Amino acid sequence: MGPSVEARSIVVSVEGMTCNSCVQTIEQHIGKINGIHSIKVSLEGKNATIIYDPRLHTPESLQAVVGDMGFDATLADSVP
Amino acid sequence: MPKHEFSVEMTCEGCSNAVTRVLNKLGGVQFEIDLPNKKVCIDSEHSVDTLLATLKKTGKDASYLGEK
């Protein structure tokens, strides 16, 4: 990876997902957003691990994106 | 007020709850969700475009079926 590539990861708690189609919708939708490197959603863990470019996103903006989709998103507090 | 019918690809209650949330956020809407038939019936002064854009925010396929 070149020095220009920046990536940070956060875990967002997501409430309101009940099935795999919810998971897929979130992964597809968020994965398409510019500045998102990857996203992994866990139905059992009720959370989403997002690897993103910190120049384009903040934890708050990512929370808002998930929230706009109609799910309750909260930032996990253990992330620096 | 006109009643608009939309088709939304919902597969479970999580999906329909998500639709409920985004519509409530928009405000000024009264709606019924028919999960088995994947239909959302909305009673609102908002334009069809606004409603459709709101439904699409959930990331699900949505299309306008017409007035009811």
Side-chain angles (χ1 to χ4, degrees):
Chain A
M1 270 204 262
S4 63
V5 177
E6 275 196 65
R8 206 166 287 176
S9 102
I10 56 159
V11 177
V12 182
S13 301
V14 185
E15 290 285 335
M17 300 184 292
T18 56
C19 71
N20 267 318
S21 100
C22 300
V23 169
Q24 275 166 19
T25 315
I26 295 178
E27 285 186 342
Q28 282 168 11
H29 191 76
I30 308 259
K32 268 187 273 180
I33 296 171
N34 199 17
I36 304 291
H37 296 308
S38 82
I39 172 164
K40 184 89 195 84
V41 177
S42 160
L43 186 58
E44 296 80 32
K46 288 186 182 171
N47 61 33
T49 307
I50 306 172
I51 299 173
Y52 65 101
D53 187 333
R55 289 167 302 183
L56 295 172
H57 293 281
T58 62
E60 286 74 24
S61 74
L62 297 171
Q63 181 185 12
V65 166
V66 179
D68 275 349
M69 291 183 67
F71 295 95
D72 255 346
T74 45
L75 296 172
D77 47 19
S78 60
V79 181
Chain B
M1 258 197 282
K3 243 184 164 102
H4 301 293
E5 200 174 32
F6 295 87
S7 160
V8 184
E9 266 312 308
M10 302 175 287
T11 51
C12 70
E13 250 168 58
C15 305
S16 68
N17 284 341
V19 172
T20 303
R21 283 222 184 92
V22 292
L23 286 174
N24 281 336
K25 240 185 229 177
L26 177 67
V29 291
Q30 282 192 309
F31 56 93
E32 280 168 42
I33 295 180
D34 181 348
L35 185 54
N37 293 314
K38 300 183 179 179
K39 279 180 187 165
V40 181
C41 204
I42 308 175
D43 206 348
S44 168
E45 295 285 3
H46 291 293
S47 70
V48 169
D49 285 346
T50 306
L51 297 172
L52 196 55
T54 305
L55 291 170
K56 284 191 173 161
K57 271 189 186 178
T58 59
K60 301 180 198 314
D61 282 336
S63 56
Y64 182 48
L65 295 175
E67 275 190 38
K68 210 183 171 186

